[in-house]
Amino acid sequence: MLLKTQTMVHAIVFLFILVTQVSAYRLCPKCGKTKVPYPLSTAENCGDPRYRIYCNDGVLEFMSAEGSSYKILSVSPKANKLVIKPPSINLDTCYSSDLNQGGLSLDESLPFNISTRNTVMLFNCSDNILLSPLNCSSSSFCREFEKSREGRGCRGTLCCHFLKDSSMTSHRIRVRVGGCTAYTCVVDKQADDSIESWNFGIELQWLPPN
């Protein structure tokens, strides 16, 4: 009986040490003042490499499939979500800074996707977009954004908005010359929200590790 008890104690201690070592090995250090929760990974020796993000000069960044970097504004590990900063819009051309990469594109082989809580606004669009079901009316949310300092470069262009729902691709927000050349995004926008309360960002969610 004593031998059996000692064996169990040794097994428990071994498992505790193993778990502690694995946790310490997998958890990435802070990036600046921001914690990097598991499974997110900023290096090869921590986190899960499938959930790769980047720490540059103390700032967390997410990289698209096309190589564009987006600042991470917040991380919600319990919800398996993070929010990235939308691209800047050139005030002279109404072009998004990621226009040359075709907008935001996620690698479909990785566990990240664009959540359904994003309201996307497109600017400087061709007339072809009027054939789509998007809201391109004078009451579209994009008209409010055009009046802001950030959106004034797109004032007077054809613009539309849509809610990124489950019927659309969850891995891309597309812009291109000949289509729409700029976009921005607001997370969890409600119909009666004023622009001062808009939460600008693109919310991404990730599938938990197996």
Side-chain angles (χ1 to χ4, degrees):
M1 182 68 178
L2 180 59
L3 180 61
K4 188 175 181 180
T5 301
Q6 289 176 332
T7 301
M8 289 180 63
V9 170
H10 290 158
I12 292 172
V13 170
F14 173 77
L15 287 174
F16 175 79
I17 293 173
L18 181 63
V19 169
T20 302
Q21 287 177 339
V22 169
S23 298
Y25 174 76
R26 287 189 168 186
L27 192 62
C28 293
K30 286 183 178 181
C31 178
K33 296 182 179 180
T34 306
K35 291 183 178 180
V36 182
Y38 185 83
L40 299 181
S41 171
T42 54
E44 294 181 359
N45 62 347
C46 66
D48 186 321
R50 296 175 300 163
Y51 298 79
R52 188 63 189 269
I53 57 176
Y54 297 84
C55 181
N56 292 319
D57 296 325
V59 177
L60 279 178
E61 294 182 342
F62 180 88
M63 185 173 291
S64 73
E66 303 299 331
S68 295
S69 294
Y70 302 81
K71 180 181 178 181
I72 296 177
L73 301 176
S74 63
V75 180
S76 303
K78 291 183 179 180
N80 297 335
K81 292 178 179 180
L82 59 84
V83 176
I84 61 175
K85 185 177 181 179
S88 58
I89 298 177
N90 188 294
L91 298 181
D92 296 322
T93 61
C94 189
Y95 284 6
S96 287
S97 57
D98 58 2
L99 176 64
N100 288 338
Q101 288 74 43
L104 174 63
S105 179
L106 306 186
D107 187 336
E108 295 188 33
S109 68
L110 297 179
F112 294 99
N113 61 76
I114 301 169
S115 85
T116 56
R117 299 203 315 146
N118 293 289
T119 296
V120 180
M121 287 168 269
L122 301 172
F123 300 92
N124 199 25
C125 301
S126 69
D127 290 342
N128 290 336
I129 202 167
L130 297 175
L131 301 175
S132 75
L134 308 188
N135 185 340
C136 306
S137 70
S138 59
S139 61
S140 173
F141 301 142
C142 63
R143 295 301 175 193
E144 294 182 63
F145 180 73
E146 283 182 330
K147 299 174 185 177
S148 68
R149 183 176 64 84
E150 295 81 2
R152 68 182 186 274
C154 297
R155 192 170 299 168
T157 68
L158 176 57
C159 69
C160 312
H161 84 261
F162 63 94
L163 180 65
K164 193 78 173 174
D165 63 31
S166 58
S167 66
M168 301 176 178
T169 174
S170 60
H171 293 90
R172 187 163 195 178
I173 298 176
R174 186 183 185 192
V175 288
R176 62 184 179 88
V177 175
C180 303
T181 63
Y183 72 98
T184 193
C185 188
V186 177
V187 179
D188 196 27
K189 187 191 180 311
Q190 304 302 310
D192 56 351
D193 285 348
S194 65
I195 191 170
E196 290 78 17
S197 64
W198 289 5
N199 181 23
F200 285 97
I202 305 169
E203 185 179 77
L204 308 182
Q205 56 191 11
W206 66 81
L207 297 174
N210 294 328

